[in-house]
Amino acid sequence: MKYLLLIYGNQEKWDSILAESWPEEIAKQDAFNRRYHETGELLGGYGLADAAAARLVRREGGAPAVTDGPYLETKEYIASFYLLDCDSEARAYEIAADMPWADQEPVEVWPILHESAADLA
């Protein structure tokens, strides 16, 4: 079963981390990524740009119409996401709880109900 893990953040949160602490925090996340990649349970982990870099895209007259966005009504936004493939919901929770900052910030766990076929040709 596949699960999506979501990590939230904001610029205030990132600014609160002392510059000299960043290498250690990055090393913790890299160790997490390696550990679960090696077990085959982590399919991918992706950090997202600041919300100010996100855009909204609509189709107008058959072409993309791009505007600033998203228009968030919250102080936090999705900062990273991880795609897991593990045996059970309980295992997804174990992995989420092992996320380096899970003792300070919650990790959202979303079961993935379906996916597109790998070969759409």
Side-chain angles (χ1 to χ4, degrees):
M1 177 98 183
K2 291 192 173 97
Y3 295 89
L4 180 68
L5 306 184
L6 297 175
I7 307 297
Y8 289 84
N10 60 38
Q11 197 58 50
E12 180 180 334
K13 182 178 183 178
W14 312 140
D15 290 343
S16 72
I17 301 170
L18 300 175
E20 58 269 14
S21 298
W22 273 106
E24 179 183 348
E25 297 304 329
I26 297 298
K28 287 179 194 175
Q29 194 63 54
D30 286 344
F32 172 91
N33 294 347
R34 276 192 307 278
R35 181 169 46 256
Y36 293 107
H37 179 72
E38 289 170 2
T39 69
E41 294 169 303
L42 177 62
L43 301 179
Y46 309 90
L48 302 177
D50 187 88
R55 299 293 177 260
L56 297 173
V57 178
R58 292 176 176 80
R59 185 179 57 252
E60 293 179 6
V66 182
T67 59
D68 288 343
Y71 302 105
L72 302 173
E73 297 292 331
T74 181
K75 293 169 86 175
E76 294 191 331
Y77 52 83
I78 298 172
S80 301
F81 66 94
Y82 298 81
L83 182 58
L84 303 180
D85 190 357
C86 47
D87 292 333
S88 67
E89 186 175 57
R91 180 62 178 152
Y93 294 159
E94 289 172 5
I95 294 170
D98 196 33
M99 188 72 66
W101 285 39
D103 58 341
Q104 300 169 36
E105 299 288 337
V107 176
E108 274 188 28
V109 178
W110 288 70
I112 296 176
L113 299 179
H114 59 85
E115 63 183 293
S116 296
D119 181 10
L120 297 177

